[in-house]
Amino acid sequence: MAYNTIVMVLGKRLVDEKLTLEGQSRAELLIRASQEFNPNNTLVLISGGKAPTDEMSEAKAIYQQANAEKSLEKFTVLLEEDSQTSIENMKFSAELLINSGLLVTEGVIELILLSNDYHLERIFQIQQLLNEQGLLKHLRERMKAAGLQLSLSNQLEHHLTANYPYASDRSKAFLLLDTLTIYRVFIEGTVRGAFKMPNKALGEIPYSMALESMGELTTTVRQTPCLQTYASDIARLEKDIRSLGMLEQGVSPATLTLLDQFSKRLTRLNRLLDPDKAI
């Protein structure tokens, strides 16, 4: 059987070998979505590897919960269980799809992503602002090189979004911090020489978004006693951003050192503030 629709579920890191609330929300949305798609033309792909300390992959954990009551038994389901990052999600999923031989080779294949709202919003923002570094660009190109015509919308409403399952000051801080990923992608792409436009023209929006998020984040932390322990790290993060700016002066060894410092600090804070890690 050849399929012309793919529902691709993006994984979420497990905690103590179990799905977090975010992971659960994606599995629950997949259950609901399975009632709307035709198993005769829809292929389900669940992507997400396993941490070194885990016995089960993210993909398998989502599949097991979504199929607990046989919701997926009529569908052909592929599990991509090797990826550790978002870009690997796309790279390894593309290879799995291409090698499966399950897709139509004539006509258009529609790809629908399933994840949490903030996660997909960030993916599409990066794609629209920084196309050369966007995850979806790599996926489209890999499929095209294999002779497969992919239809993949950059509009959030054309995909399956699970509501973010938290509504606390901590979760607000996490979401504000997460928007800095757009700025990090801009800086990393500039260092790699990925962009054709001048740094200042391309970086103006990511940089202004980063500063706006840092302003809101600083206020949130200042007003929330349980988050004040992160105040000094957040202040240093903002200093890193202002020092990097839009890299108008080019890339130097000092810039690379500062970028490494910024990336490590951002990753650390992201993990500390993520409510999913604290459940």
Side-chain angles (χ1 to χ4, degrees):
M1 183 178 294
Y3 300 94
N4 61 14
T5 302
I6 306 163
V7 173
M8 179 178 174
V9 185
L10 303 182
K12 174 70 178 180
R13 188 76 69 182
L14 306 181
V15 173
D16 296 328
E17 299 283 337
K18 297 179 181 178
L19 288 175
T20 62
L21 290 184
E22 272 199 55
Q24 291 173 31
S25 69
R26 298 180 195 186
E28 291 163 3
L29 179 55
L30 179 57
I31 292 172
R32 298 194 298 273
S34 69
Q35 301 169 14
E36 302 174 8
F37 289 92
N38 183 350
N40 294 321
N41 62 20
T42 303
L43 176 69
V44 176
L45 168 64
I46 308 176
S47 180
K50 63 180 181 179
T53 57
D54 288 342
E55 294 296 325
M56 184 182 296
S57 70
E58 302 166 30
K60 184 170 288 185
I62 290 176
Y63 171 75
Q64 288 186 351
Q65 177 158 326
N67 197 45
E69 297 183 7
K70 309 302 180 184
S71 300
L72 303 178
E73 64 177 353
K74 295 181 179 180
F75 290 86
T76 297
V77 180
L78 299 179
L79 301 183
E80 182 286 298
E81 300 183 85
D82 297 316
S83 60
Q84 296 295 317
T85 64
S86 294
I87 193 167
E88 287 185 353
N89 277 165
M90 299 299 173
K91 176 182 175 182
F92 296 160
S93 293
E95 296 304 320
L96 183 59
L97 289 167
I98 291 166
N99 294 332
S100 73
L102 294 172
L103 301 174
V104 295
T105 55
E106 295 183 3
V108 176
I109 302 163
E110 182 181 15
L111 176 61
I112 300 167
L113 300 177
L114 186 157
S115 189
N116 288 92
D117 42 16
Y118 82 93
H119 186 213
L120 288 182
E121 182 178 14
R122 171 163 52 80
I123 288 174
F124 294 129
Q125 283 177 321
I126 291 171
Q127 194 66 59
Q128 291 167 357
L129 292 171
L130 308 165
N131 178 62
E132 291 89 345
Q133 288 289 95
L135 298 177
L136 306 183
K137 176 177 181 286
H138 299 294
L139 182 60
R140 288 191 186 98
E141 289 178 348
R142 284 179 177 271
M143 300 290 278
K144 183 178 180 180
L148 298 170
Q149 187 177 353
L150 194 66
S151 172
L152 174 53
S153 173
N154 283 342
Q155 302 301 312
L156 191 64
E157 59 268 23
H158 296 158
H159 298 271
L160 297 168
T161 56
N163 293 332
Y164 185 58
Y166 299 102
S168 63
D169 288 327
R170 185 189 191 91
S171 64
K172 178 182 178 181
F174 168 75
L175 292 177
L176 286 168
L177 192 70
D178 188 74
T179 62
L180 298 183
T181 303
I182 300 168
Y183 177 70
R184 175 161 65 180
V185 168
F186 160 69
I187 293 293
E188 291 175 346
T190 299
V191 169
R192 295 191 186 104
F195 304 124
K196 299 176 183 178
M197 288 181 63
N199 288 4
K200 188 172 183 179
L202 188 66
E204 186 173 352
I205 293 177
Y207 182 56
S208 63
M209 289 175 66
L211 292 182
E212 182 179 352
S213 293
M214 288 307 304
E216 292 184 44
L217 182 57
T218 298
T219 299
T220 299
V221 169
R222 186 184 300 121
Q223 295 174 349
T224 310
C226 67
L227 297 179
Q228 288 174 7
T229 184
Y230 306 115
S232 61
D233 278 336
I234 288 169
R236 285 193 289 268
L237 189 67
E238 182 172 0
K239 184 178 179 181
D240 291 343
I241 293 170
R242 291 187 181 278
S243 297
L244 285 165
M246 290 177 275
L247 293 184
E248 300 100 318
Q249 305 305 317
V251 179
S252 65
T255 300
L256 296 177
T257 299
L258 185 57
L259 172 58
D260 181 64
Q261 174 182 296
F262 165 71
S263 294
K264 288 178 179 177
R265 202 187 312 277
L266 179 58
T267 298
R268 177 176 176 274
L269 279 169
N270 183 286
R271 290 172 179 169
L272 288 172
L273 288 172
D274 189 350
D276 253 4
K277 303 294 193 302
I279 60 175

PDB file of all heavy atoms in Angstrom, residues 30-50:
ATOM      1  N   LEU A  30      -2.756  12.467  19.413  1.00  0.00           N
ATOM      2  CA  LEU A  30      -2.654  11.439  18.365  1.00  0.00           C
ATOM      3  C   LEU A  30      -3.855  10.498  18.408  1.00  0.00           C
ATOM      4  O   LEU A  30      -4.373  10.103  17.354  1.00  0.00           O
ATOM      5  CB  LEU A  30      -1.353  10.663  18.530  1.00  0.00           C
ATOM      6  CG  LEU A  30      -1.097   9.538  17.524  1.00  0.00           C
ATOM      7  CD1 LEU A  30      -1.123  10.066  16.091  1.00  0.00           C
ATOM      8  CD2 LEU A  30       0.241   8.850  17.814  1.00  0.00           C
ATOM      9  N   ILE A  31      -4.310  10.163  19.595  1.00  0.00           N
ATOM     10  CA  ILE A  31      -5.505   9.316  19.727  1.00  0.00           C
ATOM     11  C   ILE A  31      -6.704   9.998  19.073  1.00  0.00           C
ATOM     12  O   ILE A  31      -7.443   9.378  18.292  1.00  0.00           O
ATOM     13  CB  ILE A  31      -5.805   9.027  21.209  1.00  0.00           C
ATOM     14  CG1 ILE A  31      -4.707   8.133  21.815  1.00  0.00           C
ATOM     15  CG2 ILE A  31      -7.175   8.326  21.355  1.00  0.00           C
ATOM     16  CD1 ILE A  31      -4.831   7.970  23.322  1.00  0.00           C
ATOM     17  N   ARG A  32      -6.896  11.269  19.383  1.00  0.00           N
ATOM     18  CA  ARG A  32      -8.027  12.010  18.804  1.00  0.00           C
ATOM     19  C   ARG A  32      -7.874  12.142  17.291  1.00  0.00           C
ATOM     20  O   ARG A  32      -8.850  11.985  16.537  1.00  0.00           O
ATOM     21  CB  ARG A  32      -8.161  13.390  19.447  1.00  0.00           C
ATOM     22  CG  ARG A  32      -8.446  13.359  20.939  1.00  0.00           C
ATOM     23  CD  ARG A  32      -8.901  14.707  21.459  1.00  0.00           C
ATOM     24  NE  ARG A  32      -7.912  15.753  21.297  1.00  0.00           N
ATOM     25  CZ  ARG A  32      -6.943  16.010  22.181  1.00  0.00           C
ATOM     26  NH1 ARG A  32      -6.826  15.265  23.274  1.00  0.00           N
ATOM     27  NH2 ARG A  32      -6.094  16.990  21.973  1.00  0.00           N
ATOM     28  N   ALA A  33      -6.658  12.420  16.841  1.00  0.00           N
ATOM     29  CA  ALA A  33      -6.425  12.596  15.407  1.00  0.00           C
ATOM     30  C   ALA A  33      -6.644  11.300  14.637  1.00  0.00           C
ATOM     31  O   ALA A  33      -7.071  11.328  13.475  1.00  0.00           O
ATOM     32  CB  ALA A  33      -4.999  13.097  15.173  1.00  0.00           C
ATOM     33  N   SER A  34      -6.383  10.170  15.273  1.00  0.00           N
ATOM     34  CA  SER A  34      -6.539   8.882  14.588  1.00  0.00           C
ATOM     35  C   SER A  34      -7.983   8.636  14.154  1.00  0.00           C
ATOM     36  O   SER A  34      -8.242   7.849  13.235  1.00  0.00           O
ATOM     37  CB  SER A  34      -6.072   7.735  15.497  1.00  0.00           C
ATOM     38  OG  SER A  34      -6.947   7.559  16.603  1.00  0.00           O
ATOM     39  N   GLN A  35      -8.917   9.335  14.793  1.00  0.00           N
ATOM     40  CA  GLN A  35     -10.325   9.179  14.438  1.00  0.00           C
ATOM     41  C   GLN A  35     -10.691  10.009  13.209  1.00  0.00           C
ATOM     42  O   GLN A  35     -11.755   9.807  12.616  1.00  0.00           O
ATOM     43  CB  GLN A  35     -11.207   9.584  15.624  1.00  0.00           C
ATOM     44  CG  GLN A  35     -10.940   8.764  16.883  1.00  0.00           C
ATOM     45  CD  GLN A  35     -11.631   9.340  18.113  1.00  0.00           C
ATOM     46  OE1 GLN A  35     -12.506  10.193  18.004  1.00  0.00           O
ATOM     47  NE2 GLN A  35     -11.247   8.868  19.286  1.00  0.00           N
ATOM     48  N   GLU A  36      -9.805  10.931  12.821  1.00  0.00           N
ATOM     49  CA  GLU A  36     -10.104  11.850  11.721  1.00  0.00           C
ATOM     50  C   GLU A  36      -9.411  11.465  10.418  1.00  0.00           C
ATOM     51  O   GLU A  36      -9.799  11.957   9.350  1.00  0.00           O
ATOM     52  CB  GLU A  36      -9.679  13.274  12.114  1.00  0.00           C
ATOM     53  CG  GLU A  36     -10.359  13.789  13.376  1.00  0.00           C
ATOM     54  CD  GLU A  36      -9.818  15.134  13.826  1.00  0.00           C
ATOM     55  OE1 GLU A  36      -9.019  15.719  13.048  1.00  0.00           O
ATOM     56  OE2 GLU A  36     -10.158  15.595  14.925  1.00  0.00           O
ATOM     57  N   PHE A  37      -8.405  10.600  10.489  1.00  0.00           N
ATOM     58  CA  PHE A  37      -7.644  10.249   9.297  1.00  0.00           C
ATOM     59  C   PHE A  37      -8.000   8.850   8.809  1.00  0.00           C
ATOM     60  O   PHE A  37      -8.358   7.968   9.594  1.00  0.00           O
ATOM     61  CB  PHE A  37      -6.142  10.338   9.587  1.00  0.00           C
ATOM     62  CG  PHE A  37      -5.645  11.746   9.751  1.00  0.00           C
ATOM     63  CD1 PHE A  37      -5.584  12.340  11.009  1.00  0.00           C
ATOM     64  CD2 PHE A  37      -5.252  12.500   8.648  1.00  0.00           C
ATOM     65  CE1 PHE A  37      -5.135  13.635  11.166  1.00  0.00           C
ATOM     66  CE2 PHE A  37      -4.802  13.800   8.790  1.00  0.00           C
ATOM     67  CZ  PHE A  37      -4.755  14.369  10.052  1.00  0.00           C
ATOM     68  N   ASN A  38      -7.864   8.675   7.512  1.00  0.00           N
ATOM     69  CA  ASN A  38      -8.163   7.397   6.873  1.00  0.00           C
ATOM     70  C   ASN A  38      -6.912   6.510   6.906  1.00  0.00           C
ATOM     71  O   ASN A  38      -5.892   6.858   6.314  1.00  0.00           O
ATOM     72  CB  ASN A  38      -8.598   7.641   5.424  1.00  0.00           C
ATOM     73  CG  ASN A  38      -8.989   6.372   4.713  1.00  0.00           C
ATOM     74  OD1 ASN A  38      -8.776   5.263   5.202  1.00  0.00           O
ATOM     75  ND2 ASN A  38      -9.570   6.506   3.524  1.00  0.00           N
ATOM     76  N   PRO A  39      -6.957   5.362   7.586  1.00  0.00           N
ATOM     77  CA  PRO A  39      -5.773   4.499   7.665  1.00  0.00           C
ATOM     78  C   PRO A  39      -5.350   3.929   6.315  1.00  0.00           C
ATOM     79  O   PRO A  39      -4.231   3.422   6.179  1.00  0.00           O
ATOM     80  CB  PRO A  39      -6.207   3.394   8.634  1.00  0.00           C
ATOM     81  CG  PRO A  39      -7.700   3.395   8.591  1.00  0.00           C
ATOM     82  CD  PRO A  39      -8.092   4.820   8.353  1.00  0.00           C
ATOM     83  N   ASN A  40      -6.220   4.026   5.311  1.00  0.00           N
ATOM     84  CA  ASN A  40      -5.878   3.503   3.989  1.00  0.00           C
ATOM     85  C   ASN A  40      -4.929   4.423   3.219  1.00  0.00           C
ATOM     86  O   ASN A  40      -4.279   3.974   2.275  1.00  0.00           O
ATOM     87  CB  ASN A  40      -7.146   3.260   3.168  1.00  0.00           C
ATOM     88  CG  ASN A  40      -7.998   2.153   3.749  1.00  0.00           C
ATOM     89  OD1 ASN A  40      -7.486   1.149   4.228  1.00  0.00           O
ATOM     90  ND2 ASN A  40      -9.313   2.334   3.718  1.00  0.00           N
ATOM     91  N   ASN A  41      -4.884   5.705   3.605  1.00  0.00           N
ATOM     92  CA  ASN A  41      -3.956   6.599   2.899  1.00  0.00           C
ATOM     93  C   ASN A  41      -3.053   7.392   3.836  1.00  0.00           C
ATOM     94  O   ASN A  41      -2.266   8.223   3.393  1.00  0.00           O
ATOM     95  CB  ASN A  41      -4.712   7.564   1.977  1.00  0.00           C
ATOM     96  CG  ASN A  41      -5.655   8.487   2.737  1.00  0.00           C
ATOM     97  OD1 ASN A  41      -5.520   8.702   3.936  1.00  0.00           O
ATOM     98  ND2 ASN A  41      -6.623   9.046   2.025  1.00  0.00           N
ATOM     99  N   THR A  42      -3.144   7.124   5.163  1.00  0.00           N
ATOM    100  CA  THR A  42      -2.365   7.881   6.150  1.00  0.00           C
ATOM    101  C   THR A  42      -1.357   6.989   6.865  1.00  0.00           C
ATOM    102  O   THR A  42      -1.714   5.959   7.441  1.00  0.00           O
ATOM    103  CB  THR A  42      -3.294   8.527   7.196  1.00  0.00           C
ATOM    104  OG1 THR A  42      -4.243   9.358   6.533  1.00  0.00           O
ATOM    105  CG2 THR A  42      -2.493   9.350   8.191  1.00  0.00           C
ATOM    106  N   LEU A  43      -0.114   7.423   6.832  1.00  0.00           N
ATOM    107  CA  LEU A  43       0.978   6.750   7.524  1.00  0.00           C
ATOM    108  C   LEU A  43       1.309   7.551   8.777  1.00  0.00           C
ATOM    109  O   LEU A  43       1.410   8.782   8.728  1.00  0.00           O
ATOM    110  CB  LEU A  43       2.203   6.678   6.611  1.00  0.00           C
ATOM    111  CG  LEU A  43       3.502   6.084   7.172  1.00  0.00           C
ATOM    112  CD1 LEU A  43       3.338   4.592   7.410  1.00  0.00           C
ATOM    113  CD2 LEU A  43       4.652   6.344   6.200  1.00  0.00           C
ATOM    114  N   VAL A  44       1.491   6.894   9.909  1.00  0.00           N
ATOM    115  CA  VAL A  44       1.852   7.562  11.160  1.00  0.00           C
ATOM    116  C   VAL A  44       3.336   7.318  11.441  1.00  0.00           C
ATOM    117  O   VAL A  44       3.797   6.176  11.438  1.00  0.00           O
ATOM    118  CB  VAL A  44       1.004   7.054  12.343  1.00  0.00           C
ATOM    119  CG1 VAL A  44       1.474   7.697  13.653  1.00  0.00           C
ATOM    120  CG2 VAL A  44      -0.477   7.357  12.109  1.00  0.00           C
ATOM    121  N   LEU A  45       4.064   8.401  11.664  1.00  0.00           N
ATOM    122  CA  LEU A  45       5.475   8.323  12.014  1.00  0.00           C
ATOM    123  C   LEU A  45       5.669   9.010  13.360  1.00  0.00           C
ATOM    124  O   LEU A  45       5.298  10.172  13.520  1.00  0.00           O
ATOM    125  CB  LEU A  45       6.333   9.007  10.947  1.00  0.00           C
ATOM    126  CG  LEU A  45       7.800   9.268  11.302  1.00  0.00           C
ATOM    127  CD1 LEU A  45       8.548   7.960  11.505  1.00  0.00           C
ATOM    128  CD2 LEU A  45       8.487  10.092  10.223  1.00  0.00           C
ATOM    129  N   ILE A  46       6.255   8.305  14.319  1.00  0.00           N
ATOM    130  CA  ILE A  46       6.542   8.877  15.632  1.00  0.00           C
ATOM    131  C   ILE A  46       8.051   8.930  15.791  1.00  0.00           C
ATOM    132  O   ILE A  46       8.735   7.919  15.644  1.00  0.00           O
ATOM    133  CB  ILE A  46       5.907   8.042  16.763  1.00  0.00           C
ATOM    134  CG1 ILE A  46       4.413   7.816  16.488  1.00  0.00           C
ATOM    135  CG2 ILE A  46       6.099   8.744  18.106  1.00  0.00           C
ATOM    136  CD1 ILE A  46       3.730   6.910  17.503  1.00  0.00           C
ATOM    137  N   SER A  47       8.566  10.134  16.077  1.00  0.00           N
ATOM    138  CA  SER A  47      10.008  10.345  16.097  1.00  0.00           C
ATOM    139  C   SER A  47      10.503  10.699  17.494  1.00  0.00           C
ATOM    140  O   SER A  47       9.880  11.484  18.200  1.00  0.00           O
ATOM    141  CB  SER A  47      10.373  11.473  15.122  1.00  0.00           C
ATOM    142  OG  SER A  47      11.753  11.715  15.119  1.00  0.00           O
ATOM    143  N   GLY A  48      11.621  10.105  17.906  1.00  0.00           N
ATOM    144  CA  GLY A  48      12.216  10.436  19.199  1.00  0.00           C
ATOM    145  C   GLY A  48      13.040   9.292  19.741  1.00  0.00           C
ATOM    146  O   GLY A  48      12.521   8.194  19.958  1.00  0.00           O
ATOM    147  N   GLY A  49      14.331   9.521  19.949  1.00  0.00           N
ATOM    148  CA  GLY A  49      15.226   8.470  20.444  1.00  0.00           C
ATOM    149  C   GLY A  49      15.157   8.347  21.952  1.00  0.00           C
ATOM    150  O   GLY A  49      14.208   8.784  22.600  1.00  0.00           O
ATOM    151  N   LYS A  50      16.189   7.740  22.526  1.00  0.00           N
ATOM    152  CA  LYS A  50      16.220   7.556  23.972  1.00  0.00           C
ATOM    153  C   LYS A  50      17.500   8.135  24.553  1.00  0.00           C
ATOM    154  O   LYS A  50      18.553   8.139  23.915  1.00  0.00           O
ATOM    155  CB  LYS A  50      16.097   6.077  24.334  1.00  0.00           C
ATOM    156  CG  LYS A  50      17.220   5.187  23.838  1.00  0.00           C
ATOM    157  CD  LYS A  50      16.979   3.742  24.263  1.00  0.00           C
ATOM    158  CE  LYS A  50      18.110   2.828  23.782  1.00  0.00           C
ATOM    159  NZ  LYS A  50      17.891   1.428  24.205  1.00  0.00           N
TER     160      LYS A  50
END
